Amino acid sequence: MKNLCIVIPMKSPIRAKQRLRECLTNETREQLAVHLYEKTLGFFQQHFDCPCLVVSDSQQVLEMAQSYGTHTLYDNGKKGLNGALQQACQWVKAQGFHQQLIVPGDIASLEEDEINQLLQASEQAQVVIGVAKDGGTNALLTSPPDVIEFAYGRQSALAHQAQTIALGVTCECLHLTNLALDIDQGMDLQQALQTPLFDPFLAHANRVANSTTQQESQVAYV
């Protein structure tokens, strides 16, 4: 493994998971965001012996990261995710890291083998993209950290890949089953429950989502 830093961007739980507002209460939505974030922190602490950096606009999020022994960086959020990651990348370079892996804090189920596949691919490619189910980017491994600009947003996997083609940078896109699944919609909760590692909180959130959907259907029928 090269001189690697793992970067985890995480917005305030109050603002997280906005697309789940139609099927989850605000309380459950915020609890879900925190739950997935803590799972992410615990996963990397347990399985990967390399530094992690959390970048966030939330002091609560940063304090949680510090309890896991993780480096933290405050970003005011005014420039969005790409701006926050640019600031994080500057920190990573200043600390002397040669490689950076960005993984969001809301993946339903991280697996050590899938992260290792990303790292193995980086031995041949300067940019490795873990493609999300909707065409987004759920993992971005870059060597050096700023070899491309961050282009998170709709269809960001293609946007990141297009940069590598334009710059003549080697790139590999990986479609990994669990890494591809972040929780953005009610159906994602159901899909996450099909993973081998059962998560009781995801089951609870799924029940809340189903209950909300049923209530809305009854109101519409009346």
Side-chain angles (χ1 to χ4, degrees):
M1 186 184 302
K2 297 178 182 178
N3 189 12
L4 170 71
C5 182
I6 296 169
V7 174
I8 304 170
M10 177 67 185
K11 66 177 66 173
S12 169
I14 295 176
R15 298 192 299 106
K17 300 296 162 198
Q18 291 295 312
R19 283 185 281 180
L20 289 171
R21 294 180 68 177
E22 294 183 359
C23 64
L24 293 180
T25 64
N26 287 338
E27 180 182 14
T28 303
R29 178 173 52 81
E30 292 174 26
Q31 289 174 345
L32 174 62
V34 171
H35 173 72
L36 294 174
Y37 171 56
E38 285 198 292
K39 279 182 62 176
T40 301
L41 292 173
F43 170 83
F44 284 111
Q45 181 187 62
Q46 178 180 355
H47 296 291
F48 292 91
D49 184 22
C50 58
C52 291
L53 171 70
V54 169
V55 57
S56 179
D57 62 347
S58 165
Q59 289 298 331
Q60 174 194 0
V61 165
L62 297 178
E63 288 172 5
M64 291 171 61
Q66 290 166 359
S67 71
Y68 283 83
T70 298
H71 298 288
T72 59
L73 183 64
Y74 176 77
D75 177 82
N76 60 22
K78 292 182 179 179
K79 294 184 178 181
L81 176 57
N82 291 315
L85 289 173
Q86 180 60 40
Q87 184 179 350
C89 185
Q90 292 173 359
W91 183 93
V92 168
K93 288 184 61 184
Q95 298 299 314
F97 292 103
H98 301 149
Q99 191 176 50
Q100 173 178 273
L101 170 61
I102 300 171
V103 178
D106 63 350
I107 305 299
S109 180
L110 289 166
E111 283 194 359
E112 184 178 4
D113 179 64
E114 290 189 344
I115 300 300
N116 282 328
Q117 288 184 56
L118 294 170
L119 296 174
Q120 290 169 8
S122 74
E123 295 177 3
Q124 304 297 325
Q126 290 174 270
V127 175
V128 182
I129 302 169
V131 183
K133 65 184 187 306
D134 61 356
T137 303
N138 275 1
L140 183 62
L141 182 53
T142 51
S143 312
D146 60 352
V147 66
I148 61 172
E149 294 185 4
F150 305 117
Y152 282 85
R154 190 178 297 275
Q155 297 296 312
S156 63
L158 286 176
H160 287 132
Q161 185 181 25
Q163 282 193 63
T164 66
I165 295 172
L167 295 170
V169 171
T170 52
C171 176
E172 184 168 350
C173 293
L174 299 182
H175 297 263
L176 302 169
T177 302
N178 290 299
L179 191 58
L181 180 62
D182 46 9
I183 307 296
D184 289 324
Q185 304 177 45
M187 66 181 67
D188 297 333
L189 288 167
Q190 298 178 16
Q191 187 174 348
L193 292 175
Q194 307 306 314
T195 61
L197 296 176
F198 179 73
D199 186 325
F201 189 86
L202 290 183
H204 163 71
N206 187 54
R207 288 193 296 270
V208 172
N210 288 337
S211 175
T212 301
T213 301
Q214 291 172 2
Q215 291 174 4
E216 290 177 349
S217 299
Q218 291 171 358
V219 169
Y221 179 77
V222 172

